[in-house]
């Protein structure tokens, strides 16, 4: 598949690297590729990471979305709507838009609280802003390393969720999740069900604190 | 133990019945015992339930709290602070106050949204309103039947959480949970960590919808 991963943070890098490794054609989108390559302020500079991943291309948000069959929102949740506006509604229409973001609000102390509540999720806001995109929420409940390698925890015996209004889009995303190694994919329902996994992040953050590791997940027992 | 269970709904009844069965001295508290016994509008009238549970006593919120060593808030989350005010700060001071409530808001459609968000939990509001009580949040993530009989699902191989500022109170509550059959009790930390299990309820409600059963839980895999 041709995948456009929007966002150059840890999540975007991890997904892009793994999908390129699996043979997909991956473009990472950023606001300004030239300034992104010039930045050296990150723990690991993006330019160095990109040099180690020759299968991954860097482009603007718009170019990454335009060239992709499936677009992935891996930007910070608080700025996702801005990033997707730069990607352009005309480059998202009809396409699957996988939303893995969390709308964290670090301004009120740590662990961060959220910019969403039980009345509306980020995924719903994205679907409302881009009604022609086929938004599927998934993977936001996992640390990046587990998104692409669930088997490193309990042989992958734990759960991920999908939420979205388009059944075909969810089936396609479930195929991508299975390819990454996910064995238990629970379809929660329409895009409003994304409120569940988005608010769960507050529990996830507290579990991280209590257990001392982000390599954790839940298994839905039923 | 002498347990005062505030609330006559399904959760209060289920906890009271099981703890009485285990040999504890249980009083159920309600706003007005006489009118509670006169009500016949419930699917199963409380008076009939009480007649079948001779080990359980009915009293006012204040009497139930005054006579108890441990008080349990099993009222509807939206009216818990009012119920606890009727119970009386003077009857809660120094005591363990187990909060199992969820602050559901059914006024905006079903499944209900919440009256809390990631900035403050109901348990924190209760702790702030009754600073001398030793509040422990737990069990709000389970349907009543699983609270008192976790073994009916996957032999009890799933997780419950405790949150609270008082380590001794959490240890005592953990003993009560273990007595009920809970095998994996995760201490999330101070009372602010109750935001995690309280917001998780939104995911729980969607899982109920997707799976078609409330007899579900998560196991924390780590």
């Amino acid at each position: 598949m041709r995948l456009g991963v929007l966002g150059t943070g840890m999540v975007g890098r991890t997904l892009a690297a793994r999908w390129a490794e699996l043979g997909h054609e991956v473009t990472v989108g950023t606001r300004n590729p030239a300034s992104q390559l010039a930045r050296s302020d990150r723990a690991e500079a993006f330019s160095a990471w990109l040099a180690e991943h020759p299968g991954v291309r860097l482009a603007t948000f718009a170019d990454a979305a335009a060239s992709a069959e499936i677009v992935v929102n891996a930007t910070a949740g608080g700025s996702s709507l801005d990033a997707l506006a730069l990607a352009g509604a005309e480059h998202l229409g009809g396409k699957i838009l996988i939303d893995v973001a969390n709308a964290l609000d670090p301004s009120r102390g740590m662990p961060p609280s959220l910019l969403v509540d039980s009345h509306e999720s980020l995924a719903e806001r994205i679907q409302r802003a881009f009604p022609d995109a086929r938004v599927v929420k998934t993977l936001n409940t996992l640390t990046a390393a587990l998104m692409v390698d669930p088997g490193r925890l309990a042989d992958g015996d734990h759960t991920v969720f999908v939420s979205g209004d388009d059944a075909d889009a969810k089936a396609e995303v479930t195929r991508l999740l299975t390819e990454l190694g996910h064995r238990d994919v629970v379809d929660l329902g329409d895009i409003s069900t994304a409120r569940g996994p988005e608010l769960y992040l507050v529990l996830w953050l507290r579990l991280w604190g209590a257990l001392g590791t982000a390599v954790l997940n839940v298994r839905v027992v039923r």
Side-chain angles (χ1 to χ4, degrees), chain A:
Chain A
M1 305 285 297
R2 291 194 311 278
L3 293 162
V5 178
L6 310 186
T8 54
M10 181 60 67
V11 171
R13 294 180 195 191
T14 304
L15 288 170
R18 181 63 184 141
W19 276 325
E21 197 172 60
L22 288 167
H24 297 293
E25 193 175 313
V26 182
T27 304
V28 170
T30 191
R31 188 176 296 259
N32 184 327
S35 69
Q36 180 64 244
L37 289 173
R39 284 177 68 177
S40 57
D41 56 326
R42 296 208 171 192
E44 186 194 356
F46 187 81
S47 55
W49 178 88
L50 194 64
E52 289 165 13
H53 296 86
V56 178
R57 196 170 67 90
L58 182 67
T60 63
F61 284 135
D63 286 347
S67 63
E69 295 165 287
I70 295 179
V71 179
V72 182
N73 174 37
T75 64
S79 55
S80 290
L81 286 168
D82 290 343
L84 290 165
L86 290 171
E90 70 277 22
H91 298 139
L92 299 172
K95 291 181 185 172
I96 294 172
L97 173 53
I98 303 177
D99 174 32
V100 305
N102 284 302
L104 301 178
D105 178 9
S107 73
R108 296 172 72 158
M110 294 298 283
S113 52
L114 299 182
L115 298 165
V116 293
D117 60 26
S118 60
H119 303 111
E120 191 175 50
S121 61
L122 173 63
E124 288 168 274
R125 289 180 195 162
I126 292 173
Q127 183 65 81
R128 188 155 46 86
F130 302 94
D132 296 331
R134 303 155 71 200
V135 179
V136 178
K137 186 90 197 188
T138 192
L139 288 181
N140 72 297
T141 56
L142 293 173
T143 197
L146 283 181
M147 290 182 185
V148 300
D149 186 13
R152 70 183 278 172
L153 175 66
D155 285 333
D157 186 21
H158 41 86
T159 305
V160 286
F161 308 100
V162 291
S163 301
D165 293 338
D166 185 309
D168 292 338
K170 284 190 286 191
E172 181 67 36
V173 170
T174 299
R175 279 191 287 276
L176 280 170
L177 293 169
T178 303
E179 186 186 41
L180 289 170
H182 294 282
R183 292 161 46 187
D184 185 31
V185 182
V186 171
D187 182 352
L188 291 172
D190 66 25
I191 196 66
S192 77
T193 65
R195 298 173 200 178
E198 290 194 20
L199 293 177
Y200 159 81
L201 202 77
V202 175
L203 177 57
W204 185 88
L205 288 163
R206 299 302 188 148
L207 284 168
W208 181 9
L211 303 175
T213 174
V215 181
L216 71 93
N217 194 14
V218 291
R219 185 164 69 80
V220 174
V221 182
R222 69 277 201 188

